[in-house]
Amino acid sequence: MSNPNMKLSMRLSTIALCLLTAATLSAQDSQVDRVLRQLEQLQTFSDVTISPDGKWITFIQPAAHLSEKSTLYLLDWKNASAHARPIMPDNEATHPSGVTWAPDSSQLAFFAAKSTQNQIFVFPISSSSTPAARARCLTNLNGYAKDIRWSRDGQRLAFLYAENGGGGGPLEAVPAQTGPIGSDIHNQRLTIMNPDGTGLQQITPAGLNIYEYDWAPDGKRFAALAAPGPADNNWWIAQLYSVDSASGRMNVLYRPPKERQLAVPRWSPDGAHIAFIGGLMSDEGFNGGDIFLMSSNGGAPRNLTPNRKSSPSGLAWQTADKLLLTEYVEGGSAISTLAINNATAETLWKGNEGVHQDGNFPNFALSSDGRTSVVIRSSWQQPPEVWAGPIGDWRPITHANSNQQPHWGKAESIAWKDRDFHAQGWLLYPEHFDPGRRYPMVVEIHGGPSGIKAPSWPSPRFDMSVMASLGYFVFFPNPRGSYGEGETFTQANVKDFGGGDLRDILAGVDAVLKQAPVDNDRIGVTGWSYGGYMTMWTVTQTSRF
């Protein structure tokens, strides 16, 4: 006969364990709530710019909620007593974006939404002395519009416009199609107008979608990346064209091989060359590759960075014979110059944060002197703020997030080798780390695969960094297919998704286990986009997670 006291003891132990588990989960939920509430109070910045003369900077503070308005600020940043002034579109307009400066720094143009439709506004700097000066609306557009650029003489404005269309590319939500699929394609066309809003004209053919462009110095031509529509399908096969600004006539300058996408065409100050980024890129606007240079009249482009162990993400002409690059390298980023005559490079700044001047969500801008700049800086140790000054010698301009505190430990770069490739990742330590304990770990795989995980202050939306506040290590690998180790590394998982990159991730976990007290029996894996694919694939290939 069983012992009733033993049964009672077992029941009490089970109840105690349940209560303990519930208490632990409740404490974890409470901690997660505290961390997320703090992160949701974070002040973010976007659309940072600096005037060509280096005197003024602008930045946008996005609205915390859709019902609120984002604010565009203008600041005389060298004046210690100056305050950031809001630039106000009219009362009906919200959510400014896409700020661009006139070449003489006398005015700026930007988009703002009126009844959800973006219109173009201009703002003269002479009126900046008023606390909340109003900008003037130039347009009455009906369709998707983006990417305003002044001609270099300041006499015309250009932008991309999909009249009557939703636009936005494959990464943006658009209204559902109705009727026959593909029956009504609205392509982004290169559109020009006068700075007072008159003379609006779409100059490129309706059948081609323009993805990016740049004015020639003399204003007579554009360099443009284009492909037949619809836009969502064909960015991956875009070619480089020249466009006559008067007639709209287009000539192909360069047809890239199928494994190479193009980004950031930039015309040299003397009009002789066009530079651009060419590489294997997963998504429009998430740039990385090699720097190519070609004659503005066509011909074979020259690769200026064929063996460089980095992934250039943006470029600007510093002089007629020198480029300035932002580039991903070793899990962080750098700003470098590149001489076009002999392809020699000089690194001006390098840091463990993500800095890039082109593509989606740019956070770096340069004045016309090629050195004075503004940047939004962020890392696991430093919440985002706007900084300005000479490259690498910036000083903070804003102090909006001084109340933010990290709820995670140190971040450590982990490097390892898998067969022929060197790989890197970031290991985030738990908050209140105790070297005498063993901890569980979460592995988060980034999207792309052409992408990179660089240090940044965590987001409250799908960022496993917050797990460090609950006593986890968090590992962010940058396996083959990622940016930061050169184009050969980025292309190394072509036709091998889940092969070499999974080996890299597993080897990275092994590297972590050699130097951090991680419990090998308590490791989880997750990811978003391509990282989601890799997560689903990984758990069918190994029982390690």
Side-chain angles (χ1 to χ4, degrees):
M1 186 174 180
S2 59
N3 186 335
N5 291 330
M6 183 178 294
K7 284 186 176 181
L8 178 61
S9 176
M10 290 174 64
R11 287 178 186 140
L12 291 174
S13 297
T14 302
I15 292 169
L17 180 60
C18 290
L19 290 173
L20 180 61
T21 302
T24 301
L25 291 174
S26 177
Q28 288 185 338
D29 288 345
S30 179
Q31 173 69 352
V32 167
D33 287 343
R34 282 195 297 271
V35 174
L36 293 181
R37 275 198 300 269
Q38 177 187 303
L39 292 178
E40 286 167 354
Q41 299 305 310
L42 186 74
Q43 297 292 309
T44 58
F45 304 92
S46 68
D47 287 68
V48 66
T49 74
I50 187 166
S51 58
D53 63 7
K55 176 179 172 65
W56 303 91
I57 64 172
T58 71
F59 56 88
I60 291 174
Q61 285 197 273
H65 304 286
L66 291 176
S67 60
E68 300 174 358
K69 291 185 178 182
S70 302
T71 305
L72 170 61
Y73 289 99
L74 174 73
L75 175 64
D76 180 358
W77 70 277
K78 294 182 180 180
N79 183 350
S81 62
H83 298 283
R85 306 278 191 180
I87 298 176
M88 309 294 289
D90 61 41
N91 291 329
E92 300 175 10
T94 61
H95 302 300
S97 63
V99 180
T100 184
W101 284 90
D104 64 359
S105 303
S106 66
Q107 56 185 328
L108 51 82
F110 61 94
F111 289 110
K114 298 182 70 170
S115 300
T116 73
Q117 168 64 58
N118 264 354
Q119 303 295 344
I120 297 175
F121 290 76
V122 294
F123 178 80
I125 301 305
S126 59
S127 63
S128 63
S129 58
T130 58
R134 294 283 176 185
R136 183 166 60 93
C137 184
L138 297 183
T139 57
N140 186 26
L141 304 175
N142 180 27
Y144 185 79
K146 71 171 190 176
D147 199 6
I148 321 168
R149 291 179 178 268
W150 297 81
S151 61
R152 300 195 191 186
D153 62 5
Q155 298 303 303
R156 286 177 293 175
L157 282 165
F159 61 100
L160 299 179
Y161 182 33
E163 189 173 15
N164 299 317
L171 298 184
E172 292 191 26
V174 296
Q177 276 188 290
T178 58
I181 299 299
S183 62
D184 196 12
I185 295 172
H186 302 285
N187 288 317
Q188 291 176 168
R189 300 171 66 184
L190 193 51
T191 303
I192 58 175
M193 68 178 186
N194 299 321
D196 62 0
T198 62
L200 189 146
Q201 178 186 9
Q202 297 183 76
I203 65 170
T204 53
L208 281 178
N209 191 88
I210 310 298
Y211 296 95
E212 297 185 64
Y213 71 97
D214 191 35
W215 284 94
D218 61 8
K220 296 180 179 179
R221 288 191 292 168
F222 295 94
L225 303 181
D232 289 4
N233 289 8
N234 292 333
W235 169 78
W236 292 271
I237 59 169
Q239 302 178 38
L240 177 63
Y241 290 79
S242 68
V243 183
D244 185 276
S245 62
S247 67
R249 186 180 67 253
M250 300 182 66
N251 296 314
V252 176
L253 293 177
Y254 175 55
R255 294 183 176 90
K258 63 181 180 180
E259 70 275 6
R260 182 179 299 157
Q261 283 73 57
L262 308 181
V264 199
R266 295 291 181 263
W267 217 298
S268 65
D270 59 7
H273 297 97
I274 298 171
F276 59 88
I277 298 173
L280 185 63
M281 300 177 233
S282 301
D283 295 298
E284 180 186 357
F286 294 101
N287 303 334
D290 284 320
I291 300 296
F292 289 83
L293 183 76
M294 67 182 300
S295 166
S296 58
N297 294 318
R302 177 164 60 104
N303 189 344
L304 299 181
T305 58
N307 300 306
R308 190 164 177 79
K309 295 297 184 182
S310 71
S311 300
S313 57
L315 63 92
W317 287 91
Q318 198 176 41
T319 64
D321 57 4
K322 185 178 289 187
L323 293 163
L324 185 133
L325 318 176
T326 55
E327 52 188 342
Y328 297 117
V329 57
E330 296 176 0
S333 55
I335 302 171
S336 304
T337 59
L338 182 66
I340 66 172
N341 294 329
N342 56 14
T344 57
E346 177 189 1
T347 297
L348 305 179
W349 171 87
K350 184 178 177 182
N352 292 330
E353 53 193 280
V355 171
H356 66 287
Q357 65 181 320
D358 291 297
N360 297 330
F361 319 114
N363 59 6
F364 173 83
L366 196 65
S367 72
S368 60
D369 68 6
R371 294 300 295 266
T372 308
S373 57
V374 61
V375 60
I376 303 168
R377 304 187 70 183
S378 172
S379 69
W380 276 298
Q381 287 74 42
Q382 175 178 281
E385 300 287 358
V386 177
W387 297 56
I391 293 171
D393 191 23
W394 303 295
R395 63 176 175 86
I397 301 300
T398 63
H399 303 276
N401 292 308
S402 57
N403 63 334
Q404 288 281 325
Q405 298 295 323
H407 288 281
W408 42 88
K410 68 176 181 178
E412 189 170 71
S413 179
I414 305 292
W416 67 94
K417 189 170 183 178
D418 179 47
R419 300 186 184 179
D420 295 330
F421 286 108
H422 170 275
Q424 180 274 345
W426 291 100
L427 181 65
L428 193 62
Y429 275 63
E431 187 178 23
H432 310 307
F433 171 67
D434 178 357
R437 287 182 54 194
R438 286 166 62 79
Y439 291 86
M441 182 170 75
V442 175
V443 178
E444 182 183 329
I445 306 171
H446 67 69
S450 299
I452 188 171
K453 177 62 178 183
S456 65
W457 195 260
S459 162
R461 298 167 187 85
F462 200 84
D463 188 329
M464 289 295 104
S465 300
V466 298
M467 296 297 290
S469 71
L470 301 179
Y472 288 78
F473 278 94
V474 187
F475 180 47
F476 301 95
N478 288 312
R480 70 188 66 187
S482 302
Y483 292 146
E485 296 286 342
E487 187 61 14
T488 299
F489 186 79
T490 302
Q491 296 199 18
N493 67 341
V494 171
K495 299 183 180 180
D496 189 35
F497 284 2
D501 46 9
L502 178 55
R503 290 197 306 271
D504 288 348
I505 292 167
L506 296 176
V509 171
D510 289 338
V512 169
L513 291 172
K514 291 178 180 178
Q515 61 186 82
V518 171
D519 186 342
N520 190 44
D521 295 325
R522 291 191 296 161
I523 302 177
V525 61
T526 188
W528 180 266
S529 192
Y530 184 77
Y533 158 78
M534 281 297 294
T535 299
M536 292 186 288
W537 172 254
T538 294
V539 297
T540 71
Q541 304 303 302
T542 175
S543 58
R544 189 166 194 178
F545 298 98

